[in-house]
Amino acid sequence: MDHGDYWNTVRMGAEVAAKEYNVNFKFSAPENENDIAGQISQMEQAIKEKPDAIILSATDYMALAQVTDRASYAGIPVISMDSEVASTKVKSYIGANNYEAGQKAAERLIKLTGPSAQIGIVNFVQGARNADQREEGFTDYAARFPGVKIVDTVYCGSDEALAYRLTLEMLKRFPSLDGIVAMNAEASIGVGRAVNESGAAAHLQLITFDNPPEMLELLQEKKVQAMVVQNAFSNGYLAVVTALKAARGESVEERYDTGIKVIDLENMLWPENQKLLFPFVK
């Protein structure tokens, strides 16, 4: 994958921690977030290299469980970050509460569309724990409103171009769509482009996830109403610090919730939000 903005920020957080604690840190990812077999073989490769700890952001909740267990049997502690894995051997999870993030996205979108609305979901990878939890949080919240109908849910595999095409199709099929939620950075970029170019931005409410620069621009043009932003830098930083503790056999918390913020035009200039949106600007 192109290691979009979100992952670049995660990686920088990890590298800052690695430098600070003098840790030798290696980053690897499959080309495509849909490539579950690719990630499993990268885990197998990592186990062979016998590191002191592994940080895993699982592309698939169930499929990565076995190789995670194997790492543990090999005496390598595994830290789960951003997206969980179905293994009891994981020492700690670092990341946002994805279910709550989905709920917050729905709450904001329905506040904007009103309690009678047609809504579309553009998610990334079905089976990835963070994608599933965000969608579940969103649909559970939306279910409180009998007038809110989720008319379409599509998966773009974290591919911006595919998210763009799927959104254009969705807009054609449901011309009276009132709102769309895009569940990660790549989905957001594709959806944002489609909504902007099709002219649908004039009547459509759009909530996106993460904060690629393209989205900040659309937020300022009022074509995106709000962004659900995770603390990517903290995710990377805390994962390395926690992995180091686990490698030393120290006890670690079961979960570190790094939080999420709903960023809109009104609060984007608040200092703490600027720090979240631009982690590398001093």
Side-chain angles (χ1 to χ4, degrees), residues 26-30 36-56 64 66-68 70-71 74 76 78:
K26 182 181 161 194
F27 186 95
S28 62
I36 294 162
Q39 196 182 36
I40 291 171
S41 69
Q42 284 180 335
M43 276 292 281
E44 283 164 349
Q45 185 51 41
I47 293 168
K48 279 197 196 98
E49 290 168 17
K50 296 194 168 64
D52 296 306
I54 292 173
I55 296 163
L56 170 66
L64 269 292
Q66 227 179 344
V67 75
T68 301
R70 276 211 294 285
I76 304 163
V78 179

Side-chain angles (χ1 to χ4, degrees), residues 55 81 98 276:
I55 296 163
M81 183 196 67
N98 285 296
L276 197 59

